Structure formats: C-alpha cells, structure tokens
Amino acid sequence: MTENIYVKQWVEQMADLTKPDSIVWIDGSEEEKERLTKEALSTGEMIELNQDLLPGCIYHRTKENDVARVEHRTFICTEKKEDVGPTNNWMDKSAAYAKLGALYAGCMKGRTMYVIPYIMGPASSEFSKVGVELTDSIYVVLNMRIMTRMGNIAWNFLENSADFIKGLHAKADIDPENRYICHFPEDNTIWSINSGYGGNVLLGKKCFALRIASWLGLKEGWMAEHMLILGLENPKHEIQYITAAFPSACGKTNLAMLIPPEKYEKMGYKVWTVGDDIAWLRVGKDGRLWAVNPEAGFFGVAPGTSMKSNPNALLTCQKDTIFTNVCLKPDGTVWWEGMDKNVPEHAIDWKGNPWTPEMGTKAAQPNSRFTAPAKHCPCISDKFDDPNGVPVTAMIFGGRRAKVAPLVYQSFDWEHGVYVGATMASETTAAATGAVGVVRRDPMAMLPFCGYNMGDYFQHWLDMGKKIANPPMIFNVNWFRTDANDHFIWPGFGDNMRVLLWILDRCNGKVDAVKSPIGYIPNPEDIDIEGTDIDFDTLKGLLSIDMDSWKEEIKDQETHLAKFEKLPKEIRAQYEAVKKNLGL
Ligand code: GTP
Ligand code: SPV
Ligand code: MN
C-alpha cells in the first residue's frame, strides 16, 4: 500500500470508471506470487509445468487473434498531430480519452483490479522512473514481477511524488476490433484495452520504457532506445560495452548473450549481458555516453532458441519462467521450433489442440516467448544493477536484409552514423501482426516505439552527439544476407563475436579499414574466419557493395526521407554525400 495521495486519487478514479469488484494492491512478496499463481492455475488462466524439470515455471496461451504487438492499433494521443509526425498513428487526446473511456466503462465488473507499482531502472539509480499499472490480468502481474522491480520497493522509491507513469490495462473482451494501445505523453498516461499479449499489456516495456520515455528523453536531454547492452571482456579482463539496435526479432537477445567461438573462449574472451531489449542513455560526467537497462527480465523470442544458438537464454528460462504460446509436451515441459532435434511425437500446440509433426503446422506460435528473470542468466553482467550503468564504446545498427547491406561497416562520424540509423531497413518479423519478410525502413529500430515526431527524434540524436565529448563510434551490421538458395551466408550467433572484435579494434585504433562510399569497410583479412565454414571469397562477398542494389537503395532512401517534413538538414546532407560517393 501507499499513502501517496496522487496514486490514491487516480486509482479511485480509474476504479470508478472500470468498476472492478475488488482492488488488490500488489506488494511484490513471495507470498503474493504464490497466492496469485495458485489462483491463476485454479481458473485455468495459467498451466503448471513439470516442477521437477522446470521449477517455478508456468505456461499461458493467449487468444489466437492476440499473439503480437498491434502497430496499426497503437496510437500517440496529443493535442497537436504534428507532435507525433509521419510514422505514428495519431488520435486527438480528448477524442481518445472519450473513445477508450466508453470501452473501459464497467469493463472490470466481476473482476479484480490489481495495482502494480514498479520501477524502470535499478532501485538505487537517480535516473530510474516509477510506473503504476492497473490491470485485471494476473498474467500481467506475474510478468511485470519478472520484467520490472515491482512492489513496495516502488512505493518507497516514489514516496509522495506525483511523478509516475499512469498505466491502465483491461482485457475487456480481447476484441481485436476494439483493441487500442494509446499513449498520452503530455499526461504521462498509457491506456491499453482488449489485448492480453506482451508488448501490448506489459506497460513498463514498450509503452513506458520506449514510447513515453523517448518523449521524456527529448525533454530532459537523454535517450530511450530499442537496444541491447553487452560487455565484451578480453583476455586481459578489460571490458568494453556495446549497444545494438536491431528491430524486433532480429537478434538482440542472441547477441546480448553471445558465447564466443571455442577458440576465443579458450583465450579468455567472454560476453556479459547488461540488457537484451531497451537502453536508457545519458551523458556521463566523463563526457561519455552511459547505458542503463531499465528492465529486470527478458521477454525473449522462443522459436530458434537452442543450446546451439543461445544456451544462455535457454539456461535462463529453466526456472521461475512464464512461457507464452509455446508448445506443451506430455511430460509437462515445453518445446518450440528450432529448440532441438527431439521433435515431440505428439504434443499440445499453442492453440491448445493435439499436435503431431505430420500435421505440418507450427507447434509454437512464431512470436511465442519466455519471460525470465535477468538474474538467472548465466552471463548477467555485474553492472546490471549499477545505478550509473555502463560506458558505451560502440553503437551498432542492424537489421534483416537478404541483400544490399554488407556484413559490417563503420560510419564516418556521429552525424553520418545518425543518417545510417535513420535510413535503416529490415524485413518485418512475427513480433508484430501483419506481413512477415517485407523490407521496411525502421529508423534506429524505433519505428514502432518512438513516441514523438521522428524528424525531431533525428534532431535529438544530432543534438546529443554534440553533447557527448567522447561519443561511441557507430556501426551497421547485417547477419542475414542470403545466397541463391535463400540460405543465410554468415554463420551468425556465436560467430558474430568475430565482427564485434573488428568493431572494438576500430574503436581502439588497432586496425585500418577501407573507405567505401557508404562507410569504412573491413579489410577482409581483418575478420577472422578460421573455424567457420565460410571461405575468404565468401567473406569478401559479404563485405561487398553491389552497385545495382545500392542504386535502388538510394532511390528508396529518398522516398523514405521525403516523408519527414522535419528532416534535419544534416541528414539530407549526409544522404546527398553518400549518393555522390556512389557516383549517383
Ligand atoms: P525482440 O525481443 O522482438 O525485440 O527481438 P530480438 O531482437 O531480441 O531477437 P532475438 O535475439 O530473440 O532473435 C530473433 C530470431 O532471430 C530468433 O529466431 C533467432 O534464432 C534469430 N537470430 C538471432 N541471431 C541470429 C543470427 O546471428 N543469425 C541468424 N541467422 N539468426 C539469428
Ligand atoms: C518486440 O516486439 O520488440 C519485443 C516484444 O521486444 S514485445 O514486448 O511484445 O514488444
Ligand atoms: Mn524488442
């Protein structure tokens, strides 16, 4: 409980609107977790997994129409449309309150409203921020318990302040036609209704830590980014930190938990995970950029996660984990496509139906996920809870591109790096509803998450660059180039370490590079491919810039940039320079 008058008044107002039968104030205790878990198991909302093999693990299925973020139903609601820019859906603020208010009216009758206080960021950090989420879903409470620092710890942090993000979530009827994820950055408010899935309802994550936080960052002089944070330790036990922005389901969790190829592991190289999805970035007193992971857990993509691709993720979710929309095996454990070769002969699929491999359907939903505590991760960084975070040496942008983008290149400088991020493109994935595999521009991997006008966002990046005396160097990577048979050429996963080493060598002034029209490209002999199954010519191909595809690329970038009425002139100039470099 809290005596905070602002919280109490707001909870009362929201309860007046939604009319729950009762209100439960979440404290974050073990006893509370057990009580709520038991209740969810008794109603069938959650299913208990094999407690010998997966202690503390439970299972949940969402409705078939509710399995991913819904970008077309996600809105930024402000007074003026121009504040949200060309990439966001806009709704007039009062119109949105009225529309959703009508949907919320009485929607919690017969249900319980849970009041979840939580902190985004370490409890010891002055940069951390408090949110309160009201929800009628135990699933949400149990997930928020893993994903954030939740419970009384947050009331203690907030004290009597009115400075908290007000989140209201109601499952209502999970009606996709009335599903809305609305953000009111002018009012520090988030309203979500008619979904029970992940990013739509765990309001601390994308809604607060990215959309609202990006707006706050603009006003307060910091940045909220869709980035992993990792520490790379060398044999001398020196650790340098890298952040990377890849769009949803494009490899952040995997890179953040990378296990180096055997040879490097033996030499003493190691990767430490600070975060796998979101970074809050500030300029430190030392003139460097510092990164904090505001989250406390991982909401990771299950399919493709295996002991081969990402052992650290698999080991993290062996206890105290919530599995959503994966496949349930007869022994009460879970399975998903790409987990191992032991495809179950029969199982229950993510829809709850009997499943056999012969059926040819997916056993796990392609965007099925695990929610696991970060502290269970075998490679969690000892800086995970550091109030100041970690200093960033390199920043990486990247996406899924079957063609065009080379394996890695370095931007000429910060301003050029901002242009590289602003023109980033990637194939869409199952993390959002809609077509999969379609190339779209996704600036800084923030297209679905920037809470304001993206023209202003680009300007904010440029302005931040001026405030950082020792800015990180900016790179672009692409693990996903394919060959004529549509197979990935680069081995990826642990072998991505080979590219990270080149990146750090560049930052540390240890290696030369080739100045190409689009940025600095590695001399192929500077990327170690010993122990991989690719040869030198293949590597050369991966680093090549195909003029025909870049002609197309530049044309498409032009169309993309033309959308921004508020495009900073520096970005336009960088574009023109690259175009000229390419002889176009
Ligand atoms: P969000 O949580 O949606 O923001 O995604 P993420 O960026 O953390 O993606 P994640 O690391 O979970 O990867 C998603 C998918 O990409 C998984 O199926 C991975 O197996 C696959 N993947 C990750 N890294 C690589 C890689 O280096 N190469 C290839 N080919 N696939 C990869
Ligand atoms: C993403 O889609 O980028 C995610 C998963 O990290 S969700 O929390 O559902 O947004
Ligand atoms: Mn994400």
Side-chain angles (χ1 to χ4, degrees):
M1 266 301 259
T2 176
E3 291 307 315
N4 183 310
I5 185 82
Y6 306 105
V7 172
K8 284 174 128 177
Q9 278 175 359
W10 167 68
V11 171
E12 207 170 289
Q13 278 169 16
M14 295 302 106
D16 272 351
L17 174 63
T18 56
K19 306 259 183 300
D21 283 10
S22 58
I23 299 178
V24 170
W25 294 73
I26 292 297
D27 62 21
S29 66
E30 274 300 315
E31 177 280 321
E32 176 184 81
K33 175 192 167 192
E34 275 164 34
R35 178 167 46 84
L36 292 177
T37 305
K38 213 180 253 174
E39 187 179 334
L41 294 176
S42 74
T43 59
E45 181 182 354
M46 311 285 299
I47 294 173
E48 184 161 69
L49 292 169
N50 185 321
Q51 293 301 295
D52 294 326
L53 299 171
L54 296 169
C57 294
I58 49 180
Y59 174 78
H60 178 75
R61 287 188 198 103
T62 60
K63 287 259 160 61
E64 269 177 56
N65 70 32
D66 187 29
V67 295
R69 285 183 294 101
V70 279
E71 295 181 358
H72 61 299
R73 308 206 66 96
T74 298
F75 293 83
I76 309 294
C77 310
T78 55
E79 271 167 23
K80 288 189 282 179
K81 185 165 194 246
E82 69 213 50
D83 286 341
V84 314
T87 57
N88 279 307
N89 301 313
W90 177 76
M91 234 196 270
D92 170 72
K93 198 160 94 173
S94 4
Y97 281 130
K99 190 181 190 95
L100 271 72
L103 296 172
Y104 279 121
C107 77
M108 290 193 192
K109 271 188 200 143
R111 300 180 185 183
T112 302
M113 174 192 272
Y114 300 93
V115 182
I116 314 173
Y118 62 94
I119 311 175
M120 296 313 288
S124 57
S125 174
E126 58 178 309
F127 305 130
S128 294
K129 290 185 183 286
V130 170
V132 182
E133 176 166 358
L134 311 180
T135 179
D136 54 3
S137 159
I138 295 182
Y139 173 75
V140 168
V141 179
L142 295 175
N143 272 276
M144 288 293 283
R145 192 175 197 281
I146 298 172
M147 295 305 296
T148 70
R149 281 96 170 162
M150 183 198 88
N152 288 339
I153 190 172
W155 293 139
N156 296 339
F157 190 95
L158 183 63
E159 297 181 320
N160 290 318
S161 165
D163 187 11
F164 63 97
I165 305 298
K166 307 178 193 74
L168 175 63
H169 164 246
K171 290 184 284 190
D173 313 312
I174 315 284
D175 171 7
E177 300 303 319
N178 279 308
R179 186 168 296 156
Y180 291 99
I181 321 297
C182 287
H183 306 70
F184 305 83
E186 290 156 343
D187 305 340
N188 283 343
T189 295
I190 304 159
W191 277 13
S192 161
I193 189 160
N194 275 307
S195 173
Y197 184 82
N200 298 332
V201 301
L202 309 178
L203 302 186
K205 195 171 176 57
K206 301 296 156 114
C207 300
F208 176 173
L210 286 177
R211 298 194 190 98
I212 299 279
S214 61
W215 174 290
L216 295 175
L218 174 69
K219 286 203 293 192
E220 298 168 5
W222 54 282
M223 304 160 96
E225 299 297 332
H226 193 203
M227 289 179 171
L228 68 90
I229 311 165
L230 67 81
L232 201 160
E233 180 173 340
N234 69 17
K236 288 189 225 150
H237 302 297
E238 296 157 340
I239 304 180
Q240 288 185 296
Y241 295 91
I242 299 175
T243 64
F246 307 156
S248 303
C250 289
K252 289 183 299 302
T253 304
N254 279 267
L255 193 68
M257 299 181 188
L258 176 154
I259 293 192
E262 206 180 333
K263 158 176 156 188
Y264 287 98
E265 219 179 0
K266 280 195 181 135
M267 287 160 74
Y269 284 97
K270 171 137 180 91
V271 165
W272 299 102
T273 309
V274 182
D276 83 325
D277 197 46
I278 299 177
W280 283 3
L281 303 159
R282 285 169 202 274
V283 188
K285 290 196 186 80
D286 61 356
R288 305 181 71 187
L289 192 64
W290 288 70
V292 170
N293 171 12
E295 302 191 278
F298 308 125
F299 185 58
V301 177
T305 305
S306 70
M307 275 316 272
K308 204 165 155 251
S309 67
N310 193 351
N312 283 322
L314 210 55
L315 293 169
T316 306
C317 60
Q318 297 304 297
K319 58 179 181 180
D320 305 329
T321 295
I322 301 172
F323 292 94
T324 303
N325 294 340
V326 300
C327 164
L328 185 58
K329 294 211 291 188
D331 66 355
T333 63
V334 293
W335 188 81
W336 47 75
E337 279 72 16
M339 179 200 258
D340 53 35
K341 299 234 157 64
N342 307 322
V343 181
E345 276 169 31
H346 59 99
I348 308 289
D349 69 11
W350 66 275
K351 295 180 181 175
N353 298 321
W355 179 90
T356 60
E358 295 75 45
M359 289 165 67
T361 55
K362 298 261 190 238
Q365 208 282 333
N367 188 37
S368 54
R369 298 206 175 222
F370 54 82
T371 317
K375 61 174 186 290
H376 288 350
C377 180
C379 57
I380 195 73
S381 162
D382 62 1
K383 300 280 189 220
F384 173 71
D385 256 323
D386 195 302
N388 294 313
V390 296
V392 184
T393 298
M395 268 182 167
I396 307 178
F397 293 123
R400 279 179 190 265
R401 295 219 57 187
K403 304 279 173 276
V404 188
L407 178 63
V408 59
Y409 61 99
Q410 181 188 2
S411 66
F412 297 123
D413 54 29
W414 180 273
E415 207 171 280
H416 177 244
V418 176
Y419 151 79
V420 170
T423 51
M424 223 173 105
S426 189
E427 291 149 24
T428 51
T429 66
T433 56
V436 169
V438 182
V439 177
R440 70 169 183 185
R441 299 283 152 191
D442 186 348
M444 284 84 171
M446 283 288 276
L447 180 68
F449 308 119
C450 178
Y452 60 97
N453 191 316
M454 204 159 247
D456 293 330
Y457 172 78
F458 297 154
Q459 187 62 53
H460 185 45
W461 266 82
L462 295 168
D463 294 344
M464 286 297 293
K466 294 192 187 100
K467 287 187 206 160
I468 316 168
N470 290 306
M473 291 193 175
I474 301 179
F475 297 80
N476 194 87
V477 302
N478 177 24
W479 316 138
F480 299 93
R481 276 248 274 239
T482 53
D483 61 19
N485 301 319
D486 289 338
H487 292 137
F488 295 123
I489 304 170
W490 178 248
F493 303 101
D495 286 312
N496 293 334
M497 167 88 175
R498 299 166 188 275
V499 173
L500 296 185
L501 287 175
W502 181 79
I503 287 174
L504 285 185
D505 277 350
R506 285 297 291 165
C507 296
N508 298 328
K510 285 199 180 148
V511 69
D512 284 335
V514 184
K515 193 164 182 182
S516 87
I518 64 164
Y520 295 109
I521 304 271
N523 285 304
E525 51 279 4
D526 290 330
I527 295 201
D528 176 24
I529 47 171
E530 191 194 78
T532 70
D533 56 10
I534 67 167
D535 57 28
F536 194 69
D537 281 340
T538 311
L539 176 65
K540 271 186 169 160
L542 280 169
L543 295 171
S544 67
I545 295 160
D546 175 65
M547 280 311 282
D548 285 343
S549 24
W550 273 88
K551 247 181 221 166
E552 287 304 308
E553 171 70 14
I554 279 290
K555 242 194 258 163
D556 196 66
Q557 285 188 8
E558 172 69 50
T559 316
H560 164 66
L561 295 177
K563 285 188 195 135
F564 300 96
E565 218 176 287
K566 290 183 126 178
L567 187 76
K569 60 178 188 323
E570 291 88 341
I571 304 288
R572 162 69 48 190
Q574 290 290 340
Y575 164 80
E576 295 296 346
V578 169
K579 188 173 168 182
K580 198 166 149 227
N581 291 346
L582 286 160
L584 301 170

